[in-house]
Amino acid sequence: TENSIKFTGAGLEFRINGENWTTDSVFLNLEPASEYEFYVRVAETKTSVASYEWYGTIWTANATPEVGEGFRIDFETETVWPEDYYEVRLVDSSVWVASPINIEPGNEIEVRRVNIFASDTAPPSQAIKNTIPDRPGVPTIKTEYVSGSTIVVSAVDGAYYSQDNLNWTESRVFSNLENETQYTIYAKIVGTSSSFESSVASIAVQTVASGVD
């Protein structure tokens, strides 16, 4: 792990970084992403001396990130961008990446820390789940005014409006319409630097006969 190394094997002795020999196979309170020298030998018994020691090196894992660490959310493009020395993946994916991924609001991602230097061989950190914020609620719109050529819908904070669900405007007034014709007016809360765009609300409104207010 990031703070411990555990060896396995019966009848063995261990030591790391020149410390005393011990039959305890677990070494605690180590530093994350650090290389340790370790030695292993068959322990002395009543009938045999200790064997020659075997030497090697081993790395502790990278430090586990905190929730919210190691990535940023681009709410406008609905992507997650991992920061340097971190990798991300969707919880239902087996592929870790150090590049942006598309996300769905309300879903979960996993984040882990990886090596700073390519020459380091420390294992990646434990993965930490992060829940992506949900979209804001769908705006509620009502008809405020209808004439033969104009439709005005109710104001909603942060909303944009559309007559075709393609071209959006802050204006909630729709003019130069045909008499006695049904229109669909759309509204959504636009995305910001800290929140996603909402789902789209719609309302069907019919203009009245010419000259009727």
Side-chain angles (χ1 to χ4, degrees):
T1 69
E2 63 187 271
N3 300 120
S4 66
I5 296 172
K6 180 179 181 180
F7 298 97
T8 59
L12 301 178
E13 289 182 318
F14 312 90
R15 67 174 179 168
I16 63 172
N17 286 8
E19 296 177 359
N20 293 330
W21 289 101
T22 176
T23 55
D24 189 348
S25 62
V26 180
F27 294 84
L28 303 174
N29 302 316
L30 306 180
E31 292 296 321
S34 298
E35 185 179 25
Y36 289 87
E37 297 178 344
F38 69 91
Y39 303 81
V40 181
R41 71 182 181 184
V42 178
E44 180 180 357
T45 69
K46 293 181 180 180
T47 59
S48 64
V49 297
S51 71
Y52 289 106
E53 62 189 35
W54 181 77
Y55 161 81
T57 60
I58 192 169
W59 285 78
T60 51
N62 280 271
T64 303
E66 301 290 336
V67 173
E69 178 186 347
F71 68 98
R72 67 177 178 86
I73 301 172
D74 187 322
F75 290 94
E76 294 184 0
T77 61
E78 299 190 1
T79 54
V80 160
W81 291 68
E83 296 177 352
D84 291 343
Y85 317 123
Y86 292 87
E87 293 178 332
V88 297
R89 69 179 181 184
L90 301 174
V91 291
D92 57 356
S93 172
S94 61
V95 179
W96 289 98
V97 296
S99 54
I101 59 172
N102 295 323
I103 52 170
E104 186 66 29
N107 284 359
E108 289 183 320
I109 62 168
E110 290 184 313
V111 182
R112 69 179 183 182
R113 193 194 307 264
V114 293
N115 294 322
I116 295 177
F117 303 107
S119 59
D120 291 347
T121 56
S125 73
Q126 177 184 342
I128 293 297
K129 286 185 178 180
N130 289 263
T131 301
I132 302 301
D134 281 318
R135 295 188 188 279
V138 180
T140 300
I141 53 173
K142 300 178 180 179
T143 304
E144 279 195 354
Y145 171 78
V146 180
S147 70
S149 60
T150 302
I151 295 172
V152 181
V153 296
S154 55
V156 178
D157 287 342
Y160 271 54
Y161 305 88
S162 175
Q163 189 180 324
D164 57 9
N165 202 19
L166 294 174
N167 300 292
W168 295 88
T169 175
E170 292 182 83
S171 175
R172 56 195 176 92
V173 178
F174 297 87
S175 324
N176 301 317
L177 305 179
E178 298 291 331
N179 301 328
E180 299 181 274
T181 302
Q182 182 168 290
Y183 291 90
T184 300
I185 305 301
Y186 302 89
K188 66 180 180 182
I189 307 297
V190 296
T192 69
S193 61
S194 59
S195 64
F196 290 110
E197 180 178 283
S198 75
S199 296
V200 176
S202 64
I203 184 173
V205 185
Q206 181 158 328
T207 53
V208 298
S210 178
V212 178
D213 292 328

